[in-house]
Amino acid sequence: MIVGWSGLPPRGRLGRADTLPPVAGEVGLNGWIKVARNGDVLLAMPYAEMGQGVHSTLALLVAEELDLAPTRVRLTAPAAGETLYGNVAVLAASLPVHPRSLEPGHETTGARLGQWMVRKVARELGIVITGGSSTVADAWEPLRLAAATARAQLLGAASLRWRLPVDEFQVQDGMVQHAASGNSAGYGELAEAAATVPAGSVKLKASPQWRLLGKPQPRSDTPAKSTGAARYGIDTRRPDMLFAVMRHAPALGGAPGAVDMDALLRRPGVQRVVRLGPVAGSTAGIAVVAHSSWHAKQAALAMDASWQGRPAGALDSAAIAASLAQTARNAADANHGFGFYNLGDAAASWRAGEQGGARRLEAAYQAPYLAHATMEPMNCTVQVTDQAVEIWAPTQVPEMARQLAARVAGVPLDKVTLHMTLIGGGFGRRLETDHVGQAVRVAMETGGRPVQLLWPREEDFTHDFYRPAGAALLRGVLSGDGKLQALSIHSAGDAITPRWMARNVPQLAGPVDMPDKTTAEGLFDLPYAVPNQRMAHVATQHDVPIGNWRSVGHSHNAFFSEAFIDELAHAAGADPLAFRLSLLADQPRHAAVLQRAAEKAGWGQPLPAGIARGLALHESFGTVVAQVLEVTLSDSKPRVLRVVCAVDCGLVLQPDIVAQQVESSVVFGLTAALYGRIDIVGGEVQQKNFPDQPLLSLRECPLIETHLITSTRTPTGIGEPAVPPVAPALANALFALTGQRLRSLPLTLAA
């Protein structure tokens, strides 16, 4: 059976005309496209909008194929539980294969076969998810095909109506036209007939024919967000709604003990108090339900409760950091850990020592836990009535949220309806469903009234699923003439994917952890030509709740690798740019990006006294980014003046949105590099709010330049790839400026 299944072609992603829920006055042409009476096109949108601009970009794909004004493409909710909308690209990208093994001319049979199989499995599973900078890459083919198929059906309907050859018709501005006869009809007039017409030959528009894509276009969400009309999860309001505020046990993994319930219920506006056990990885706590969120929060803050600690003992981030550093060193010394990439014999090169003028270099790097710190705190609105559950949530995983809600409420999945709202910052935090499970549990206690569960900012900071802490021991061997002969990196840190799957996809989580690509991405997949390499990771488990954080493993692994490459360049007496280019002779794409950034930044040209440059190059999510930072000191602290970014993200569909994502990534990356850390003492997170872990201020924000490389590749990710190079480029600039080599994040200069 398995052999027979694997031999079948992958499931298609076009869907049927009846896939989308029926609505009067709307005609479905396939699983993605409906046509309204007035000729507007409705596009099924399973992907979350969290500021990255995908709703605008994906609507533009459809508008381009159907020759329609973008304002006439409206979004509609997809059919619940439909596997058609599963994200294939994000699962395919989870394979731990070196990017080079998928490049034309260097591709391997194993890598290609693995990708094919994962894509096939992904189409069967149909996991709806927005993450991994995968949305445009995932939708690129099915949405264009869906729109082009709809166009072919509309042309076919016109051909049958007027009994004229289909190839004599064309679409223009939402009309099907026949130039010779003057016959024309709008999409709305032809839709019912088109739904019964086979598509026949379907041709996608070639890029030279594009009128919209590749050119600056206004974002569809700008007016609503500018006027305050946009509705995020936290803006949800329902008739007769209650509000609940969450208070977790202060210690991670702890639980509430005795609580003075009577005192809480006497507080103004308070309706109920609900004890909540751990759900989907959360720490146990108490929800206070009241007439308003203000009343609920005041009561929660005034709560007289005793709190129990973690049964297995309190967590301590300093002890964890020391353990990770020792684990990485032990792995390097014993040459163990899971080898994600091996080439030649890096261990033998290191053991050979400094013979023949060779030079060995070793450095230990570390990164702390990090919180997501989204602007919109965690929230979810739920109503439970008559064995049915209705949810309004800002989520990146709507089907997982529905499944958890069904389990918590004890109802069949088809009784759960979820409305996906705009998201006020995701960064991976809303790949989790803990808050949804909590909200459903609270709503089960409110007698059918809808309730909005809200986490205060302090709960958000202290009970996050954090970016894992990590450590790496890096070793390099330079030949007598300064060429890099060997590079080994042994890292240590908790694996995200097994923990995430266990709490969010328990039906797929296995009893044994498999090697997790996120632990070593940004280390095993470097583009540099080094004859002897070993990139290995030791997966640890320290019980701090961890999750996906913007750019995931790349976020800290790029700091480890690119800062160490600079150390090697310095030891070789080479210019950091020239040293990297010497290792990229067979990687023209990376070399072009690096050279563009250096050229635009004026690399090698003199700077005023007290200013220095640093650079970094990194590939993640299929996109190559190079950055040059110009840095000075202000009151003995780093101050970034200018960031020059060169980006190759394949075909650029919306250049303004790409630039916006690069700019937001730079600000996000600088915030983490300068200020980001989560310290756990006695089991409790010490950073409670933004004063404890500030964001980069407007005054501190540098000039950011984005330079896009022209490419014919299919589009790749852009929401995250500009984050990883920021920290190493800053560290490298600070070394050039001060002579201090900083190997731990956040970057703090010695007094």
Short mmCIF file of all heavy atoms in Angstrom, two decimals, residues 185-230:
data_model
loop_
_atom_site.label_atom_id
_atom_site.label_comp_id
_atom_site.label_asym_id
_atom_site.label_seq_id
_atom_site.Cartn_x
_atom_site.Cartn_y
_atom_site.Cartn_z
N ALA A 185 -18.46 41.01 -22.33
CA ALA A 185 -19.27 40.72 -21.14
C ALA A 185 -18.37 40.75 -19.92
O ALA A 185 -17.18 40.40 -19.98
CB ALA A 185 -19.95 39.36 -21.27
N GLY A 186 -18.95 41.17 -18.81
CA GLY A 186 -18.19 41.19 -17.56
C GLY A 186 -18.08 39.80 -16.95
O GLY A 186 -18.86 38.90 -17.29
N TYR A 187 -17.15 39.65 -16.06
CA TYR A 187 -16.95 38.35 -15.42
C TYR A 187 -18.22 37.88 -14.72
O TYR A 187 -18.54 36.68 -14.73
CB TYR A 187 -15.80 38.42 -14.42
CG TYR A 187 -14.43 38.62 -15.02
CD1 TYR A 187 -13.34 38.95 -14.21
CD2 TYR A 187 -14.21 38.50 -16.39
CE1 TYR A 187 -12.08 39.13 -14.74
CE2 TYR A 187 -12.95 38.68 -16.93
CZ TYR A 187 -11.88 39.00 -16.11
OH TYR A 187 -10.63 39.19 -16.64
N GLY A 188 -18.93 38.80 -14.09
CA GLY A 188 -20.14 38.42 -13.36
C GLY A 188 -21.21 37.83 -14.27
O GLY A 188 -21.95 36.93 -13.86
N GLU A 189 -21.31 38.34 -15.52
CA GLU A 189 -22.29 37.83 -16.47
C GLU A 189 -21.96 36.41 -16.94
O GLU A 189 -22.86 35.64 -17.28
CB GLU A 189 -22.35 38.76 -17.69
CG GLU A 189 -22.75 40.19 -17.40
CD GLU A 189 -22.61 41.06 -18.64
OE1 GLU A 189 -23.34 40.79 -19.63
OE2 GLU A 189 -21.75 41.97 -18.66
N LEU A 190 -20.69 36.09 -16.97
CA LEU A 190 -20.25 34.82 -17.54
C LEU A 190 -19.98 33.75 -16.50
O LEU A 190 -19.74 32.59 -16.84
CB LEU A 190 -18.97 35.03 -18.36
CG LEU A 190 -19.09 35.95 -19.58
CD1 LEU A 190 -17.71 36.28 -20.13
CD2 LEU A 190 -19.95 35.29 -20.67
N ALA A 191 -20.01 34.12 -15.22
CA ALA A 191 -19.51 33.23 -14.18
C ALA A 191 -20.27 31.90 -14.12
O ALA A 191 -19.66 30.83 -14.04
CB ALA A 191 -19.57 33.92 -12.83
N GLU A 192 -21.63 31.94 -14.15
CA GLU A 192 -22.38 30.69 -14.03
C GLU A 192 -22.08 29.75 -15.17
O GLU A 192 -21.92 28.54 -14.97
CB GLU A 192 -23.89 31.00 -13.95
CG GLU A 192 -24.30 31.60 -12.61
CD GLU A 192 -25.82 31.61 -12.45
OE1 GLU A 192 -26.50 30.81 -13.13
OE2 GLU A 192 -26.31 32.41 -11.65
N ALA A 193 -22.01 30.27 -16.36
CA ALA A 193 -21.66 29.42 -17.50
C ALA A 193 -20.23 28.94 -17.40
O ALA A 193 -19.92 27.78 -17.71
CB ALA A 193 -21.87 30.19 -18.80
N ALA A 194 -19.32 29.80 -16.93
CA ALA A 194 -17.91 29.44 -16.83
C ALA A 194 -17.70 28.28 -15.87
O ALA A 194 -16.81 27.45 -16.06
CB ALA A 194 -17.10 30.65 -16.38
N ALA A 195 -18.53 28.20 -14.82
CA ALA A 195 -18.39 27.14 -13.83
C ALA A 195 -18.63 25.76 -14.43
O ALA A 195 -18.18 24.75 -13.87
CB ALA A 195 -19.33 27.38 -12.67
N THR A 196 -19.32 25.69 -15.56
CA THR A 196 -19.62 24.40 -16.20
C THR A 196 -18.72 24.11 -17.38
O THR A 196 -18.85 23.06 -18.02
CB THR A 196 -21.08 24.39 -16.68
OG1 THR A 196 -21.25 25.36 -17.73
CG2 THR A 196 -22.03 24.71 -15.53
N VAL A 197 -17.80 25.03 -17.69
CA VAL A 197 -16.95 24.90 -18.87
C VAL A 197 -15.59 24.32 -18.48
O VAL A 197 -14.95 24.84 -17.57
CB VAL A 197 -16.75 26.27 -19.56
CG1 VAL A 197 -15.76 26.16 -20.71
CG2 VAL A 197 -18.08 26.81 -20.05
N PRO A 198 -15.14 23.27 -19.15
CA PRO A 198 -13.77 22.78 -18.88
C PRO A 198 -12.75 23.86 -19.22
O PRO A 198 -12.93 24.63 -20.18
CB PRO A 198 -13.64 21.58 -19.82
CG PRO A 198 -15.04 21.19 -20.18
CD PRO A 198 -15.84 22.45 -20.15
N ALA A 199 -11.69 23.92 -18.44
CA ALA A 199 -10.71 24.99 -18.62
C ALA A 199 -9.94 24.87 -19.92
O ALA A 199 -9.51 25.86 -20.50
CB ALA A 199 -9.74 25.00 -17.45
N GLY A 200 -9.78 23.64 -20.40
CA GLY A 200 -8.98 23.46 -21.62
C GLY A 200 -7.53 23.81 -21.38
O GLY A 200 -6.96 23.52 -20.32
N SER A 201 -6.92 24.46 -22.34
CA SER A 201 -5.51 24.83 -22.22
C SER A 201 -5.36 26.05 -21.30
O SER A 201 -5.98 27.09 -21.54
CB SER A 201 -4.94 25.15 -23.61
OG SER A 201 -3.60 25.57 -23.50
N VAL A 202 -4.56 25.89 -20.24
CA VAL A 202 -4.35 26.98 -19.29
C VAL A 202 -2.91 27.46 -19.40
O VAL A 202 -1.97 26.68 -19.28
CB VAL A 202 -4.63 26.50 -17.84
CG1 VAL A 202 -4.32 27.61 -16.85
CG2 VAL A 202 -6.07 26.04 -17.71
N LYS A 203 -2.75 28.75 -19.65
CA LYS A 203 -1.42 29.33 -19.79
C LYS A 203 -1.24 30.46 -18.77
O LYS A 203 -2.10 31.35 -18.66
CB LYS A 203 -1.22 29.89 -21.20
CG LYS A 203 -1.21 28.82 -22.29
CD LYS A 203 -0.99 29.44 -23.66
CE LYS A 203 -1.01 28.38 -24.75
NZ LYS A 203 -0.83 28.99 -26.11
N LEU A 204 -0.15 30.41 -18.04
CA LEU A 204 0.17 31.48 -17.11
C LEU A 204 0.79 32.65 -17.86
O LEU A 204 1.49 32.47 -18.86
CB LEU A 204 1.15 30.99 -16.05
CG LEU A 204 0.68 29.83 -15.16
CD1 LEU A 204 1.81 29.38 -14.25
CD2 LEU A 204 -0.52 30.24 -14.33
N LYS A 205 0.52 33.85 -17.37
CA LYS A 205 1.13 35.04 -17.95
C LYS A 205 2.64 35.00 -17.75
O LYS A 205 3.12 34.72 -16.64
CB LYS A 205 0.58 36.29 -17.27
CG LYS A 205 -0.55 36.99 -17.99
CD LYS A 205 -0.93 38.22 -17.17
CE LYS A 205 -1.51 39.28 -18.03
NZ LYS A 205 -1.82 40.49 -17.22
N ALA A 206 3.40 35.30 -18.78
CA ALA A 206 4.85 35.41 -18.64
C ALA A 206 5.19 36.75 -18.02
O ALA A 206 4.45 37.74 -18.19
CB ALA A 206 5.53 35.26 -19.99
N SER A 207 6.30 36.84 -17.31
CA SER A 207 6.64 38.07 -16.60
C SER A 207 6.74 39.29 -17.51
O SER A 207 6.39 40.40 -17.06
CB SER A 207 7.93 37.88 -15.80
OG SER A 207 8.98 37.44 -16.61
N PRO A 208 7.19 39.17 -18.78
CA PRO A 208 7.20 40.39 -19.62
C PRO A 208 5.81 40.98 -19.86
O PRO A 208 5.68 42.15 -20.25
CB PRO A 208 7.83 39.90 -20.93
CG PRO A 208 8.65 38.71 -20.55
CD PRO A 208 7.88 38.05 -19.46
N GLN A 209 4.76 40.16 -19.65
CA GLN A 209 3.39 40.64 -19.86
C GLN A 209 2.78 41.26 -18.61
O GLN A 209 1.67 41.80 -18.68
CB GLN A 209 2.50 39.46 -20.30
CG GLN A 209 2.93 38.79 -21.59
CD GLN A 209 2.08 37.56 -21.87
OE1 GLN A 209 2.10 36.57 -21.12
NE2 GLN A 209 1.30 37.62 -22.93
N TRP A 210 3.49 41.21 -17.51
CA TRP A 210 2.92 41.71 -16.26
C TRP A 210 2.67 43.21 -16.31
O TRP A 210 3.52 43.99 -16.78
CB TRP A 210 3.86 41.42 -15.10
CG TRP A 210 3.91 39.98 -14.71
CD1 TRP A 210 3.11 38.96 -15.13
CD2 TRP A 210 4.87 39.38 -13.82
NE1 TRP A 210 3.48 37.77 -14.57
CE2 TRP A 210 4.55 38.00 -13.75
CE3 TRP A 210 5.93 39.87 -13.08
CZ2 TRP A 210 5.28 37.11 -12.97
CZ3 TRP A 210 6.65 39.00 -12.30
CH2 TRP A 210 6.33 37.62 -12.24
N ARG A 211 1.52 43.61 -15.81
CA ARG A 211 1.20 45.04 -15.68
C ARG A 211 1.28 45.50 -14.23
O ARG A 211 1.48 46.68 -13.95
CB ARG A 211 -0.21 45.32 -16.21
CG ARG A 211 -0.40 45.06 -17.70
CD ARG A 211 -1.75 45.55 -18.20
NE ARG A 211 -2.86 45.08 -17.37
CZ ARG A 211 -3.61 45.86 -16.61
NH1 ARG A 211 -3.37 47.17 -16.55
NH2 ARG A 211 -4.61 45.36 -15.91
N LEU A 212 1.12 44.56 -13.30
CA LEU A 212 1.04 44.91 -11.88
C LEU A 212 2.23 44.38 -11.09
O LEU A 212 2.85 45.12 -10.32
CB LEU A 212 -0.26 44.34 -11.29
CG LEU A 212 -1.57 44.80 -11.94
CD1 LEU A 212 -2.73 43.97 -11.41
CD2 LEU A 212 -1.81 46.28 -11.68
N LEU A 213 2.52 43.12 -11.25
CA LEU A 213 3.59 42.50 -10.48
C LEU A 213 4.95 43.09 -10.84
O LEU A 213 5.21 43.42 -11.99
CB LEU A 213 3.61 40.99 -10.73
CG LEU A 213 2.40 40.21 -10.22
CD1 LEU A 213 2.47 38.76 -10.68
CD2 LEU A 213 2.33 40.26 -8.69
N GLY A 214 5.79 43.20 -9.83
CA GLY A 214 7.14 43.72 -10.05
C GLY A 214 7.22 45.23 -10.02
O GLY A 214 8.32 45.79 -10.10
N LYS A 215 6.07 45.89 -9.86
CA LYS A 215 6.04 47.36 -9.83
C LYS A 215 5.44 47.80 -8.49
O LYS A 215 4.61 47.11 -7.92
CB LYS A 215 5.20 47.90 -10.99
CG LYS A 215 5.69 47.44 -12.36
CD LYS A 215 4.73 47.86 -13.46
CE LYS A 215 5.23 47.41 -14.83
NZ LYS A 215 5.33 45.94 -14.95
N PRO A 216 5.84 48.95 -8.00
CA PRO A 216 5.28 49.43 -6.72
C PRO A 216 3.76 49.53 -6.80
O PRO A 216 3.21 50.09 -7.76
CB PRO A 216 5.93 50.81 -6.54
CG PRO A 216 7.19 50.74 -7.35
CD PRO A 216 6.87 49.87 -8.53
N GLN A 217 3.09 48.97 -5.81
CA GLN A 217 1.62 48.99 -5.73
C GLN A 217 1.22 49.36 -4.31
O GLN A 217 1.89 48.98 -3.35
CB GLN A 217 1.04 47.61 -6.07
CG GLN A 217 1.43 47.06 -7.42
CD GLN A 217 0.75 47.78 -8.57
OE1 GLN A 217 -0.27 48.46 -8.36
NE2 GLN A 217 1.30 47.67 -9.76
N PRO A 218 0.14 50.08 -4.17
CA PRO A 218 -0.33 50.40 -2.81
C PRO A 218 -0.81 49.14 -2.10
O PRO A 218 -1.40 48.25 -2.71
CB PRO A 218 -1.49 51.38 -3.05
CG PRO A 218 -1.94 51.12 -4.45
CD PRO A 218 -0.72 50.68 -5.21
N ARG A 219 -0.53 49.06 -0.80
CA ARG A 219 -1.02 47.93 -0.01
C ARG A 219 -2.50 48.09 0.26
O ARG A 219 -2.98 49.18 0.57
CB ARG A 219 -0.26 47.85 1.32
CG ARG A 219 1.12 47.28 1.20
CD ARG A 219 1.83 47.22 2.52
NE ARG A 219 1.14 46.41 3.51
CZ ARG A 219 1.73 45.71 4.46
NH1 ARG A 219 3.06 45.72 4.53
NH2 ARG A 219 1.05 45.02 5.34
N SER A 220 -3.22 46.98 0.16
CA SER A 220 -4.67 47.05 0.34
C SER A 220 -5.07 47.34 1.78
O SER A 220 -6.16 47.85 2.03
CB SER A 220 -5.31 45.73 -0.10
OG SER A 220 -4.80 44.65 0.67
N ASP A 221 -4.17 47.03 2.74
CA ASP A 221 -4.54 47.22 4.15
C ASP A 221 -4.12 48.58 4.70
O ASP A 221 -4.42 48.90 5.85
CB ASP A 221 -3.96 46.11 5.01
CG ASP A 221 -2.44 45.96 4.85
OD1 ASP A 221 -1.86 46.66 4.00
OD2 ASP A 221 -1.85 45.13 5.57
N THR A 222 -3.45 49.40 3.90
CA THR A 222 -2.95 50.68 4.40
C THR A 222 -4.06 51.63 4.87
O THR A 222 -3.97 52.20 5.96
CB THR A 222 -2.07 51.37 3.36
OG1 THR A 222 -0.92 50.54 3.10
CG2 THR A 222 -1.59 52.73 3.85
N PRO A 223 -5.13 51.84 4.07
CA PRO A 223 -6.15 52.80 4.53
C PRO A 223 -6.78 52.41 5.87
O PRO A 223 -6.89 53.25 6.77
CB PRO A 223 -7.19 52.76 3.39
CG PRO A 223 -6.41 52.35 2.19
CD PRO A 223 -5.40 51.37 2.69
N ALA A 224 -7.15 51.14 6.02
CA ALA A 224 -7.81 50.72 7.26
C ALA A 224 -6.86 50.82 8.45
O ALA A 224 -7.26 51.24 9.55
CB ALA A 224 -8.32 49.29 7.13
N LYS A 225 -5.60 50.48 8.26
CA LYS A 225 -4.65 50.56 9.36
C LYS A 225 -4.29 52.01 9.68
O LYS A 225 -3.95 52.33 10.82
CB LYS A 225 -3.39 49.75 9.02
CG LYS A 225 -3.63 48.26 9.04
CD LYS A 225 -2.39 47.45 8.69
CE LYS A 225 -2.67 45.96 8.81
NZ LYS A 225 -1.50 45.14 8.43
N SER A 226 -4.37 52.87 8.69
CA SER A 226 -4.06 54.28 8.92
C SER A 226 -5.18 55.00 9.67
O SER A 226 -4.92 55.94 10.44
CB SER A 226 -3.80 54.99 7.58
OG SER A 226 -2.71 54.42 6.91
N THR A 227 -6.41 54.57 9.44
CA THR A 227 -7.55 55.25 10.06
C THR A 227 -8.01 54.58 11.35
O THR A 227 -8.90 55.08 12.03
CB THR A 227 -8.74 55.29 9.08
OG1 THR A 227 -9.12 53.94 8.77
CG2 THR A 227 -8.35 56.02 7.80
N GLY A 228 -7.46 53.41 11.66
CA GLY A 228 -7.88 52.68 12.84
C GLY A 228 -9.06 51.77 12.59
O GLY A 228 -9.61 51.18 13.53
N ALA A 229 -9.46 51.63 11.34
CA ALA A 229 -10.61 50.77 11.03
C ALA A 229 -10.24 49.30 11.01
O ALA A 229 -11.13 48.44 11.09
CB ALA A 229 -11.21 51.17 9.67
N ALA A 230 -8.97 48.99 10.88
CA ALA A 230 -8.55 47.59 10.84
C ALA A 230 -8.87 46.91 12.16
O ALA A 230 -8.71 47.49 13.23
CB ALA A 230 -7.05 47.51 10.55
#
